[in-house]
Amino acid sequence: MGVKILLSVILTVLLASTVSAGIVISDSLLEGDSSVYKVGDEGYLLTLVIVDIKKKAAMFELNGERSSILKERNEHKFEDGSIIIVKNVFGDRDGKDLVDFYFAGTGKNTVPIKEDSIIREPTGTIEGIDQCDDEC
């Protein structure tokens, strides 16, 4: 358990030092789903494009820019400096695969949020203790 806390602290410091303004979150998405994360009057549109459960890999799209294919514990840095890290790739959940991830947005290259956009509240923050117990 101590290793998980230490890893979480190191990851928090790394992401916080990379991102001067914006957001740092931990969240989950189902394959094909999107979330809008608000930063000021604008935000990030993050989509989980595809999941390969056999390879435990996923690809995301942030405001129209696609990530590389990421395996668990891999990261991708987008053009604006935002970072996504794949935490866990899970198998079938109601017909779709689920991916837990960390996201650190710089607050740059955000997109306007429409009034009818559904703003998703992340399931946790990077500062919180990992809730996955011994199954991670």
Side-chain angles (χ1 to χ4, degrees), residues 9-94:
V9 169
I10 291 170
L11 189 59
T12 300
V13 171
L14 175 66
L15 291 175
S17 65
T18 303
V19 180
S20 58
I23 60 171
V24 179
I25 55 129
S26 172
D27 204 358
S28 302
L29 279 175
L30 290 170
E31 185 175 12
D33 286 353
S34 299
S35 288
V36 175
Y37 302 107
K38 191 172 181 182
V39 179
D41 293 334
E42 296 187 323
Y44 289 104
L45 174 61
L46 184 67
T47 303
L48 178 55
V49 178
I50 192 164
V51 177
D52 184 336
I53 193 62
K54 290 179 184 176
K55 294 182 181 178
K56 294 265 189 189
M59 177 188 287
F60 291 86
E61 184 174 286
L62 179 68
N63 296 344
E65 180 187 346
R66 290 212 171 168
S67 72
S68 56
I69 296 176
L70 304 169
K71 292 186 176 185
E72 289 181 342
R73 310 291 187 231
N74 287 162
E75 71 176 58
H76 177 84
K77 189 171 190 176
F78 293 95
E79 289 179 8
D80 72 344
S82 296
I83 297 172
I84 192 155
I85 300 171
V86 172
K87 184 176 168 185
N88 294 301
V89 178
F90 297 103
D92 190 29
R93 309 282 174 159
D94 298 325

Coordinates of all heavy atoms in Angstrom, one line a residue, residues 9-94:
V9 N 2.0 10.2 -5.1 CA 2.7 11.5 -4.8 C 3.6 11.9 -5.9 O 3.7 13.0 -6.3 CB 3.4 11.4 -3.4 CG1 4.3 12.6 -3.2 CG2 2.4 11.2 -2.3
I10 N 4.5 11.0 -6.4 CA 5.4 11.2 -7.4 C 4.7 11.7 -8.7 O 5.1 12.6 -9.3 CB 6.3 10.0 -7.7 CG1 7.3 9.8 -6.5 CG2 7.1 10.2 -9.0 CD1 8.0 8.5 -6.6
L11 N 3.6 11.0 -9.0 CA 2.8 11.3 -10.2 C 2.2 12.7 -10.1 O 2.2 13.5 -11.0 CB 1.8 10.2 -10.5 CG 1.0 10.3 -11.8 CD1 1.9 10.2 -12.9 CD2 0.0 9.2 -11.8
T12 N 1.7 13.0 -8.9 CA 1.1 14.3 -8.7 C 2.1 15.4 -8.9 O 1.9 16.4 -9.5 CB 0.5 14.4 -7.2 OG1 -0.4 13.4 -7.1 CG2 -0.1 15.7 -6.9
V13 N 3.3 15.3 -8.3 CA 4.4 16.3 -8.4 C 4.8 16.4 -9.9 O 4.9 17.5 -10.4 CB 5.6 15.9 -7.6 CG1 6.8 16.8 -7.9 CG2 5.2 16.0 -6.1
L14 N 4.9 15.3 -10.6 CA 5.3 15.3 -12.0 C 4.3 16.1 -12.8 O 4.6 16.9 -13.6 CB 5.5 13.9 -12.5 CG 5.8 13.8 -14.0 CD1 7.1 14.4 -14.4 CD2 5.7 12.3 -14.5
L15 N 3.0 15.7 -12.7 CA 2.0 16.3 -13.5 C 1.8 17.8 -13.1 O 1.6 18.6 -13.9 CB 0.6 15.6 -13.3 CG 0.6 14.2 -13.9 CD1 -0.7 13.5 -13.6 CD2 0.8 14.3 -15.4
A16 N 1.9 18.1 -11.8 CA 1.7 19.5 -11.4 C 2.8 20.4 -11.9 O 2.6 21.5 -12.2 CB 1.6 19.6 -9.8
S17 N 4.0 19.9 -11.9 CA 5.2 20.6 -12.4 C 5.1 20.8 -13.9 O 5.6 21.8 -14.5 CB 6.5 20.0 -12.1 OG 6.6 18.8 -12.7
T18 N 4.4 19.9 -14.6 CA 4.3 20.0 -16.1 C 3.2 21.0 -16.5 O 3.3 21.7 -17.5 CB 3.9 18.6 -16.7 OG1 5.0 17.7 -16.3 CG2 3.9 18.7 -18.2
V19 N 2.2 21.1 -15.6 CA 1.0 21.9 -15.9 C 1.0 23.1 -15.0 O 0.8 23.0 -13.8 CB -0.3 21.1 -15.7 CG1 -1.5 21.9 -16.1 CG2 -0.3 19.8 -16.6
S20 N 1.2 24.3 -15.6 CA 1.2 25.5 -14.8 C -0.2 26.0 -14.5 O -0.4 26.6 -13.4 CB 2.0 26.6 -15.5 OG 1.4 26.8 -16.8
A21 N -1.1 25.8 -15.4 CA -2.5 26.2 -15.1 C -3.4 25.2 -15.9 O -3.0 24.7 -16.9 CB -2.8 27.6 -15.7
G22 N -4.6 25.0 -15.4 CA -5.5 24.1 -16.1 C -6.1 23.1 -15.1 O -6.5 23.5 -14.0
I23 N -6.0 21.8 -15.4 CA -6.6 20.8 -14.6 C -5.7 19.6 -14.5 O -5.0 19.3 -15.4 CB -8.0 20.4 -15.1 CG1 -7.9 19.8 -16.5 CG2 -9.0 21.5 -15.1 CD1 -9.2 19.1 -17.0
V24 N -5.9 18.9 -13.4 CA -5.2 17.6 -13.1 C -6.2 16.7 -12.5 O -6.7 17.0 -11.4 CB -4.0 17.8 -12.2 CG1 -3.3 16.4 -12.0 CG2 -3.0 18.8 -12.8
I25 N -6.6 15.6 -13.2 CA -7.7 14.8 -12.7 C -7.4 13.3 -12.9 O -6.5 13.0 -13.7 CB -9.0 15.1 -13.4 CG1 -8.9 15.0 -15.0 CG2 -9.6 16.4 -13.1 CD1 -9.9 14.2 -15.6
S26 N -8.2 12.5 -12.3 CA -8.2 11.0 -12.5 C -9.6 10.7 -12.9 O -10.5 11.2 -12.2 CB -7.8 10.3 -11.2 OG -7.9 8.9 -11.4
D27 N -9.8 10.0 -14.0 CA -11.2 9.7 -14.4 C -11.2 8.4 -15.2 O -10.2 7.7 -15.4 CB -11.7 10.8 -15.2 CG -13.3 10.9 -15.2 OD1 -13.9 10.0 -14.6 OD2 -13.8 11.8 -15.9
S28 N -12.4 8.0 -15.6 CA -12.6 6.7 -16.4 C -13.5 7.1 -17.6 O -14.4 7.9 -17.4 CB -13.3 5.6 -15.6 OG -12.5 5.3 -14.5
L29 N -13.3 6.4 -18.7 CA -14.2 6.5 -19.8 C -14.4 5.1 -20.4 O -13.6 4.2 -20.4 CB -13.6 7.4 -20.9 CG -13.7 8.9 -20.8 CD1 -12.9 9.6 -21.9 CD2 -15.2 9.3 -20.8
L30 N -15.6 4.9 -21.0 CA -15.9 3.7 -21.7 C -15.6 4.0 -23.2 O -15.6 5.1 -23.7 CB -17.4 3.4 -21.6 CG -17.9 2.9 -20.3 CD1 -19.5 2.9 -20.3 CD2 -17.4 1.6 -20.0
E31 N -15.2 2.9 -23.9 CA -14.8 3.0 -25.3 C -15.9 3.7 -26.1 O -17.0 3.4 -26.0 CB -14.5 1.6 -25.8 CG -14.0 1.6 -27.3 CD -13.6 0.2 -27.7 OE1 -14.0 -0.8 -27.1 OE2 -13.0 0.2 -28.8
G32 N -15.5 4.7 -26.9 CA -16.4 5.5 -27.7 C -17.0 6.7 -27.0 O -17.7 7.5 -27.7
D33 N -16.9 6.8 -25.7 CA -17.5 7.9 -25.0 C -16.6 9.1 -24.9 O -15.4 9.0 -25.0 CB -17.9 7.5 -23.5 CG -19.1 6.5 -23.5 OD1 -19.8 6.4 -24.6 OD2 -19.5 6.0 -22.5
S34 N -17.2 10.3 -24.6 CA -16.4 11.5 -24.5 C -16.8 12.2 -23.2 O -17.9 12.0 -22.6 CB -16.8 12.5 -25.6 OG -16.4 11.9 -26.9
S35 N -15.9 13.1 -22.7 CA -16.2 13.9 -21.6 C -15.7 15.3 -21.9 O -14.7 15.5 -22.6 CB -15.4 13.4 -20.3 OG -16.0 12.3 -19.8
V36 N -16.4 16.3 -21.3 CA -15.9 17.7 -21.4 C -15.5 18.1 -20.0 O -16.2 18.0 -19.1 CB -17.1 18.6 -21.9 CG1 -16.7 20.1 -21.9 CG2 -17.6 18.2 -23.3
Y37 N -14.3 18.6 -20.0 CA -13.7 19.1 -18.7 C -13.5 20.6 -18.8 O -12.8 21.1 -19.7 CB -12.4 18.4 -18.4 CG -12.5 16.9 -18.3 CD1 -12.0 16.1 -19.3 CD2 -13.2 16.3 -17.2 CE1 -12.2 14.7 -19.3 CE2 -13.3 14.9 -17.2 CZ -12.8 14.1 -18.2 OH -12.9 12.8 -18.1
K38 N -14.2 21.3 -18.0 CA -14.2 22.8 -18.1 C -12.9 23.4 -17.4 O -12.5 23.0 -16.3 CB -15.4 23.3 -17.4 CG -15.7 24.7 -17.6 CD -17.1 25.2 -17.0 CE -17.3 26.6 -17.3 NZ -18.5 27.1 -16.8
V39 N -12.4 24.4 -18.2 CA -11.3 25.2 -17.7 C -11.6 26.6 -18.0 O -11.6 27.0 -19.1 CB -9.9 24.8 -18.4 CG1 -8.8 25.7 -17.9 CG2 -9.6 23.3 -18.2
G40 N -12.1 27.3 -16.9 CA -12.6 28.7 -17.2 C -13.8 28.6 -18.0 O -14.8 27.9 -17.7
D41 N -13.9 29.5 -19.1 CA -15.1 29.5 -19.9 C -15.0 28.5 -21.1 O -15.9 28.4 -21.9 CB -15.3 30.9 -20.5 CG -15.7 31.9 -19.4 OD1 -16.3 31.5 -18.4 OD2 -15.4 33.1 -19.6
E42 N -13.8 27.8 -21.2 CA -13.6 26.9 -22.2 C -13.3 25.5 -21.6 O -13.6 25.3 -20.4 CB -12.5 27.3 -23.1 CG -12.8 28.6 -23.9 CD -11.7 29.0 -24.9 OE1 -10.5 28.8 -24.6 OE2 -12.1 29.5 -25.9
G43 N -12.9 24.6 -22.4 CA -12.6 23.3 -21.9 C -11.9 22.3 -22.8 O -11.5 22.7 -23.9
Y44 N -11.8 21.1 -22.4 CA -11.3 20.0 -23.1 C -12.3 19.0 -23.5 O -13.1 18.6 -22.6 CB -10.2 19.3 -22.3 CG -8.9 20.1 -22.1 CD1 -8.6 20.7 -20.9 CD2 -8.0 20.2 -23.2 CE1 -7.5 21.4 -20.8 CE2 -6.8 20.9 -23.0 CZ -6.6 21.5 -21.8 OH -5.4 22.2 -21.6
L45 N -12.4 18.5 -24.7 CA -13.2 17.4 -25.1 C -12.3 16.2 -25.3 O -11.5 16.2 -26.2 CB -13.9 17.8 -26.4 CG -14.7 16.6 -27.0 CD1 -15.9 16.2 -26.1 CD2 -15.3 17.0 -28.4
L46 N -12.5 15.3 -24.4 CA -11.6 14.1 -24.4 C -12.5 12.9 -24.8 O -13.5 12.6 -24.1 CB -11.0 13.9 -23.0 CG -10.0 12.7 -22.9 CD1 -8.8 13.0 -23.8 CD2 -9.6 12.5 -21.5
T47 N -12.0 12.1 -25.8 CA -12.8 10.9 -26.2 C -11.9 9.7 -26.2 O -10.7 9.8 -26.5 CB -13.2 11.1 -27.7 OG1 -14.0 12.3 -27.8 CG2 -14.0 9.9 -28.2
L48 N -12.4 8.6 -25.7 CA -11.7 7.3 -25.7 C -12.1 6.7 -27.0 O -13.2 6.2 -27.2 CB -12.1 6.4 -24.5 CG -11.4 5.1 -24.5 CD1 -9.9 5.2 -24.5 CD2 -11.9 4.3 -23.3
V49 N -11.2 6.8 -28.0 CA -11.4 6.4 -29.4 C -11.5 4.9 -29.5 O -12.5 4.4 -30.1 CB -10.3 6.9 -30.3 CG1 -10.6 6.5 -31.8 CG2 -10.3 8.4 -30.3
I50 N -10.5 4.1 -29.0 CA -10.5 2.7 -29.2 C -9.8 2.0 -28.1 O -8.8 2.6 -27.5 CB -9.9 2.3 -30.6 CG1 -10.2 0.9 -30.9 CG2 -8.5 2.7 -30.7 CD1 -10.0 0.5 -32.4
V51 N -10.2 0.8 -27.8 CA -9.5 0.0 -26.7 C -9.2 -1.4 -27.3 O -10.0 -2.0 -28.0 CB -10.4 -0.1 -25.5 CG1 -9.7 -1.0 -24.5 CG2 -10.8 1.2 -24.9
D52 N -8.0 -1.8 -27.1 CA -7.6 -3.2 -27.5 C -7.3 -3.9 -26.1 O -6.3 -3.8 -25.5 CB -6.3 -3.2 -28.3 CG -5.9 -4.5 -28.8 OD1 -6.3 -5.6 -28.1 OD2 -5.2 -4.6 -29.8
I53 N -8.3 -4.7 -25.7 CA -8.2 -5.3 -24.4 C -7.1 -6.4 -24.4 O -6.5 -6.6 -23.3 CB -9.6 -5.9 -24.0 CG1 -9.6 -6.3 -22.5 CG2 -10.0 -7.0 -24.8 CD1 -9.3 -5.2 -21.6
K54 N -6.9 -7.1 -25.5 CA -5.9 -8.1 -25.5 C -4.5 -7.5 -25.3 O -3.6 -8.1 -24.6 CB -5.9 -8.8 -26.9 CG -7.1 -9.7 -27.0 CD -7.1 -10.4 -28.4 CE -8.4 -11.2 -28.6 NZ -8.4 -11.8 -29.9
K55 N -4.2 -6.3 -25.9 CA -2.9 -5.6 -25.7 C -2.9 -4.7 -24.5 O -1.9 -4.1 -24.2 CB -2.5 -4.9 -26.9 CG -2.3 -5.8 -28.1 CD -1.9 -5.0 -29.3 CE -1.6 -5.9 -30.5 NZ -1.3 -5.2 -31.7
K56 N -4.1 -4.6 -23.8 CA -4.3 -3.6 -22.7 C -3.8 -2.2 -23.2 O -3.0 -1.6 -22.5 CB -3.5 -4.1 -21.5 CG -4.0 -5.3 -20.9 CD -4.9 -5.0 -19.8 CE -5.3 -6.2 -19.0 NZ -6.3 -6.0 -18.0
A57 N -4.4 -1.8 -24.3 CA -4.0 -0.5 -24.9 C -5.2 0.3 -25.3 O -6.3 -0.2 -25.5 CB -3.1 -0.8 -26.1
A58 N -5.0 1.6 -25.4 CA -6.1 2.6 -25.7 C -5.5 3.7 -26.5 O -4.4 4.1 -26.4 CB -6.8 3.0 -24.4
M59 N -6.5 4.4 -27.2 CA -6.1 5.6 -28.0 C -7.2 6.7 -27.6 O -8.4 6.4 -27.6 CB -6.1 5.4 -29.5 CG -5.9 6.7 -30.2 SD -6.1 6.5 -32.0 CE -4.7 5.6 -32.4
F60 N -6.7 7.9 -27.3 CA -7.6 9.0 -26.9 C -7.6 10.1 -28.0 O -6.6 10.1 -28.8 CB -7.2 9.6 -25.6 CG -7.4 8.8 -24.4 CD1 -6.4 7.8 -24.1 CD2 -8.5 8.9 -23.7 CE1 -6.6 7.0 -22.9 CE2 -8.7 8.1 -22.6 CZ -7.8 7.1 -22.2
E61 N -8.6 11.0 -28.0 CA -8.5 12.2 -28.8 C -8.9 13.3 -27.9 O -9.9 13.3 -27.2 CB -9.6 12.0 -29.9 CG -9.6 13.2 -30.9 CD -10.5 13.0 -32.1 OE1 -10.2 12.2 -32.9 OE2 -11.6 13.6 -32.0
L62 N -8.0 14.4 -28.0 CA -8.2 15.6 -27.2 C -8.4 16.7 -28.1 O -7.5 17.1 -28.8 CB -7.0 15.8 -26.3 CG -7.0 17.0 -25.4 CD1 -8.1 16.9 -24.3 CD2 -5.7 17.3 -24.7
N63 N -9.6 17.3 -28.1 CA -9.9 18.5 -28.9 C -9.5 18.3 -30.4 O -8.9 19.1 -31.0 CB -9.2 19.8 -28.4 CG -9.8 20.1 -27.0 OD1 -10.8 19.7 -26.6 ND2 -9.0 21.0 -26.3
G64 N -9.7 17.1 -30.9 CA -9.4 16.8 -32.3 C -8.0 16.2 -32.5 O -7.7 15.7 -33.6
E65 N -7.1 16.2 -31.6 CA -5.8 15.6 -31.7 C -5.7 14.2 -31.1 O -6.0 14.1 -29.9 CB -4.8 16.5 -31.0 CG -3.3 16.0 -31.2 CD -2.3 16.8 -30.3 OE1 -2.7 17.9 -29.9 OE2 -1.2 16.3 -30.2
R66 N -5.3 13.3 -31.9 CA -5.3 11.9 -31.4 C -3.9 11.6 -30.7 O -2.9 12.1 -31.1 CB -5.5 10.9 -32.6 CG -6.9 10.9 -33.0 CD -7.3 9.6 -33.6 NE -8.8 9.7 -33.8 CZ -9.4 8.8 -34.4 NH1 -8.8 7.7 -34.9 NH2 -10.7 8.9 -34.6
S67 N -4.0 10.8 -29.7 CA -2.8 10.3 -29.0 C -2.2 9.1 -29.7 O -2.8 8.6 -30.7 CB -3.2 9.9 -27.6 OG -3.9 8.6 -27.6
S68 N -1.0 8.7 -29.3 CA -0.5 7.5 -29.8 C -1.2 6.4 -29.1 O -2.1 6.6 -28.2 CB 1.0 7.4 -29.4 OG 1.2 7.6 -28.0
I69 N -1.0 5.1 -29.5 CA -1.6 4.0 -28.8 C -0.8 3.8 -27.5 O 0.4 3.6 -27.4 CB -1.6 2.7 -29.6 CG1 -2.4 3.0 -30.9 CG2 -2.0 1.5 -28.9 CD1 -2.4 1.9 -31.9
L70 N -1.6 3.8 -26.4 CA -1.0 3.8 -25.0 C -1.3 2.5 -24.3 O -2.5 2.2 -24.2 CB -1.5 5.0 -24.2 CG -1.3 6.3 -24.8 CD1 -2.1 7.4 -24.1 CD2 0.2 6.7 -24.8
K71 N -0.3 1.8 -23.8 CA -0.5 0.7 -22.9 C -0.6 1.2 -21.5 O -0.3 2.4 -21.2 CB 0.6 -0.3 -23.1 CG 0.6 -1.0 -24.4 CD 1.6 -2.1 -24.5 CE 1.5 -2.8 -25.8 NZ 2.4 -4.0 -25.9
E72 N -1.0 0.3 -20.6 CA -1.1 0.7 -19.2 C 0.2 1.3 -18.7 O 1.3 0.8 -19.0 CB -1.5 -0.5 -18.3 CG -2.9 -1.0 -18.5 CD -3.3 -2.1 -17.6 OE1 -2.4 -2.8 -17.1 OE2 -4.5 -2.4 -17.5
R73 N 0.1 2.4 -18.0 CA 1.3 3.1 -17.4 C 2.0 3.9 -18.5 O 3.0 4.6 -18.1 CB 2.2 2.2 -16.7 CG 1.6 1.4 -15.6 CD 1.0 2.1 -14.5 NE 0.6 1.3 -13.4 CZ -0.6 1.3 -12.9 NH1 -1.5 2.3 -13.2 NH2 -1.0 0.5 -11.9
N74 N 1.6 3.9 -19.7 CA 2.2 4.8 -20.8 C 1.6 6.2 -20.8 O 0.4 6.3 -20.4 CB 2.1 4.2 -22.2 CG 3.0 3.0 -22.4 OD1 2.7 2.2 -23.3 ND2 4.0 2.8 -21.6
E75 N 2.3 7.1 -21.3 CA 1.8 8.5 -21.4 C 1.9 9.1 -22.8 O 2.7 8.6 -23.5 CB 2.4 9.4 -20.4 CG 3.9 9.8 -20.7 CD 4.5 10.7 -19.7 OE1 4.5 10.4 -18.5 OE2 5.0 11.8 -20.2
H76 N 1.1 10.1 -23.0 CA 1.2 10.8 -24.3 C 1.1 12.3 -24.0 O 0.3 12.7 -23.2 CB 0.0 10.4 -25.2 CG 0.1 11.2 -26.5 ND1 0.8 10.8 -27.6 CD2 -0.6 12.4 -26.9 CE1 0.7 11.7 -28.6 NE2 -0.2 12.6 -28.2
K77 N 2.0 13.1 -24.6 CA 2.0 14.5 -24.5 C 1.4 15.1 -25.7 O 2.0 14.9 -26.8 CB 3.4 15.0 -24.2 CG 3.5 16.5 -23.8 CD 4.9 16.8 -23.3 CE 4.9 18.2 -22.7 NZ 6.2 18.5 -22.2
F78 N 0.4 15.9 -25.6 CA -0.3 16.5 -26.7 C 0.5 17.8 -27.1 O 1.3 18.3 -26.3 CB -1.7 16.8 -26.4 CG -2.6 15.6 -26.2 CD1 -2.8 15.1 -25.0 CD2 -3.2 15.0 -27.3 CE1 -3.6 13.9 -24.8 CE2 -3.9 13.8 -27.2 CZ -4.1 13.3 -25.9
E79 N 0.2 18.4 -28.3 CA 0.9 19.6 -28.8 C 0.9 20.7 -27.8 O 1.8 21.5 -27.8 CB 0.3 20.0 -30.1 CG 0.6 19.0 -31.2 CD 0.0 19.5 -32.6 OE1 -0.5 20.6 -32.7 OE2 0.1 18.7 -33.5
D80 N -0.2 20.9 -27.0 CA -0.3 22.0 -26.1 C 0.4 21.7 -24.7 O 0.4 22.6 -23.8 CB -1.7 22.4 -25.8 CG -2.5 21.4 -25.0 OD1 -2.1 20.3 -24.8 OD2 -3.6 21.8 -24.5
G81 N 1.0 20.6 -24.6 CA 1.7 20.2 -23.4 C 0.9 19.4 -22.4 O 1.4 18.9 -21.4
S82 N -0.4 19.2 -22.7 CA -1.3 18.4 -21.9 C -0.8 16.9 -21.9 O -0.3 16.5 -22.9 CB -2.7 18.5 -22.3 OG -3.2 19.8 -22.2
I83 N -1.0 16.2 -20.8 CA -0.6 14.8 -20.7 C -1.7 13.9 -20.3 O -2.5 14.3 -19.5 CB 0.6 14.7 -19.7 CG1 1.8 15.6 -20.1 CG2 1.0 13.3 -19.5 CD1 2.9 15.6 -19.1
I84 N -1.7 12.7 -21.0 CA -2.7 11.7 -20.5 C -1.8 10.4 -20.2 O -0.9 10.1 -20.9 CB -3.8 11.4 -21.6 CG1 -4.8 10.5 -20.9 CG2 -3.2 10.8 -22.8 CD1 -6.2 10.7 -21.6
I85 N -2.2 9.8 -19.1 CA -1.5 8.6 -18.7 C -2.6 7.5 -18.5 O -3.5 7.7 -17.8 CB -0.7 8.8 -17.4 CG1 0.3 9.8 -17.6 CG2 -0.1 7.4 -16.9 CD1 1.0 10.3 -16.3
V86 N -2.4 6.3 -19.1 CA -3.3 5.2 -19.0 C -3.0 4.5 -17.7 O -1.9 4.1 -17.5 CB -3.3 4.3 -20.2 CG1 -4.1 3.0 -19.9 CG2 -3.7 4.9 -21.4
K87 N -4.0 4.5 -16.8 CA -3.8 3.8 -15.5 C -4.1 2.4 -15.6 O -3.3 1.5 -15.3 CB -4.7 4.5 -14.5 CG -4.6 4.1 -13.1 CD -5.5 4.9 -12.2 CE -5.7 4.4 -10.9 NZ -6.7 5.1 -10.1
N88 N -5.3 2.0 -16.0 CA -5.8 0.6 -16.2 C -6.7 0.5 -17.4 O -7.5 1.4 -17.7 CB -6.6 0.2 -14.9 CG -5.7 0.1 -13.7 OD1 -4.7 -0.6 -13.6 ND2 -6.1 0.9 -12.7
V89 N -6.6 -0.7 -18.0 CA -7.5 -1.0 -19.1 C -8.3 -2.2 -18.7 O -7.7 -3.3 -18.3 CB -6.7 -1.3 -20.4 CG1 -7.7 -1.8 -21.5 CG2 -5.9 -0.2 -20.8
F90 N -9.6 -2.1 -18.6 CA -10.5 -3.2 -18.1 C -11.3 -3.7 -19.3 O -11.6 -3.0 -20.3 CB -11.5 -2.6 -17.1 CG -10.8 -2.2 -15.8 CD1 -10.6 -0.8 -15.6 CD2 -10.3 -3.1 -14.9 CE1 -10.0 -0.3 -14.5 CE2 -9.6 -2.6 -13.8 CZ -9.5 -1.3 -13.5
G91 N -11.7 -5.0 -19.2 CA -12.5 -5.6 -20.2 C -13.9 -5.1 -20.2 O -14.3 -4.1 -19.6
D92 N -14.8 -5.9 -20.9 CA -16.1 -5.6 -21.2 C -16.9 -5.1 -20.0 O -17.0 -5.8 -19.0 CB -16.8 -6.8 -21.8 CG -18.2 -6.6 -22.3 OD1 -18.4 -5.4 -22.8 OD2 -19.0 -7.5 -22.3
R93 N -17.5 -3.9 -20.1 CA -18.4 -3.3 -19.1 C -19.7 -2.9 -19.9 O -19.7 -1.9 -20.6 CB -17.9 -2.1 -18.5 CG -16.5 -2.2 -17.9 CD -16.5 -3.0 -16.6 NE -15.2 -3.2 -16.1 CZ -14.8 -3.5 -14.9 NH1 -15.7 -3.5 -14.0 NH2 -13.5 -3.7 -14.6
D94 N -20.7 -3.8 -19.8 CA -22.0 -3.5 -20.5 C -21.7 -3.3 -22.0 O -22.3 -2.4 -22.6 CB -22.7 -2.3 -19.9 CG -23.1 -2.5 -18.5 OD1 -23.4 -3.7 -18.1 OD2 -23.0 -1.5 -17.7

